[in-house]
C-alpha cells in the first residue's frame, strides 16, 4: 500500500454505501482503483481510509447528514477462501448515532 503524503493532491469525493454515503478526500490513485467504469464511487471498493479523510457522512436510517467520519470497525481474519485467495480484512462503516451500517468492505489477497 502506498502511504499518502498529506500534501498530496486530494480531492473530495462522494462515496456510496448500502446504508448511506460519505464525503472523503481521495488521491487520484485511490479514485482510479475504486472506479469500476461507472460514474459512482463505492465505499466498498475503497476500503478503509483514515478517519481524518472524511468530512461528513449521511445515514439513511437517521435521514441526516453528520460531520466527520462514521465509525470504522474492522478485523483481519486472514481466512483462506480457497484457490489461494485470502480474506485479509473485513470491515464496516457505521453511523455514530444509530449504528446503522453505512457500508461494508472486504479486502482480499491472492497468494503467489
Ligand atoms: Zn444513523
Amino acid at each position: 500500500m502506498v502511504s499518502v503524503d498529506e500534501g498530496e493532491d486530494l480531492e473530495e469525493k462522494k462515496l456510496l454505501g448500502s446504508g448511506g454515503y460519505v464525503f472523503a478526500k481521495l488521491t487520484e490513485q485511490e479514485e482510479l482503483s475504486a472506479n469500476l467504469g461507472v460514474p459512482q464511487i463505492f465505499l466498498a471498493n475503497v476500503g478503509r481510509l483514515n478517519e481524518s479523510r472524511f468530512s461528513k457522512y449521511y445515514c439513511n436510517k437517521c435521514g441526516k447528514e453528520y460531520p466527520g467520519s462514521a465509525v470504522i470497525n474492522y478485523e483481519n481474519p486472514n481466512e483462506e477462501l480457497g484457490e489461494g485467495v485470502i480474506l485479509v480484512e473485513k470491515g464496516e462503516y457505521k453511523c455514530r448515532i444509530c449504528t446503522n451500517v453505512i457500508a461494508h468492505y472486504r479486502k482480499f489477497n491472492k497468494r503467489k
Side-chain angles (χ1 to χ4, degrees):
M1 189 173 278
V2 185
S3 72
V4 176
D5 184 285
E6 289 301 321
E8 207 178 318
D9 201 15
L10 295 168
E11 218 182 314
E12 189 168 78
K13 295 287 171 187
K14 183 178 179 178
L15 312 176
L16 301 179
S18 53
Y21 57 80
V22 305
F23 280 88
K25 291 190 166 74
L26 297 182
T27 65
E28 204 171 321
Q29 195 52 50
E30 286 165 342
E31 191 187 336
L32 283 175
S33 58
N35 189 319
L36 304 177
V38 291
Q40 299 88 358
I41 303 173
F42 293 96
L43 190 51
N45 297 329
V46 176
R48 181 158 49 94
L49 292 171
N50 193 295
E51 291 195 9
S52 66
R53 302 267 212 104
F54 295 89
S55 56
K56 58 186 173 182
Y57 72 93
Y58 180 87
C59 170
N60 283 353
K61 201 170 163 192
C62 294
K64 279 178 78 169
E65 206 168 77
Y66 296 107
S69 168
V71 179
I72 305 169
N73 291 318
Y74 68 96
E75 52 185 302
N76 299 104
N78 289 317
E79 186 185 329
E80 174 102 40
L81 301 179
E83 316 252 322
V85 177
I86 296 161
L87 176 60
V88 182
E89 182 172 317
K90 60 177 178 183
E92 57 192 15
Y93 287 85
K94 280 184 164 184
C95 175
R96 285 186 191 281
I97 310 302
C98 74
T99 72
N100 172 45
V101 175
I102 309 290
H104 291 281
Y105 70 89
R106 273 156 203 274
K107 206 172 116 188
F108 301 99
N109 254 357
K110 185 108 175 147
R111 204 172 51 197
K112 291 166 192 101

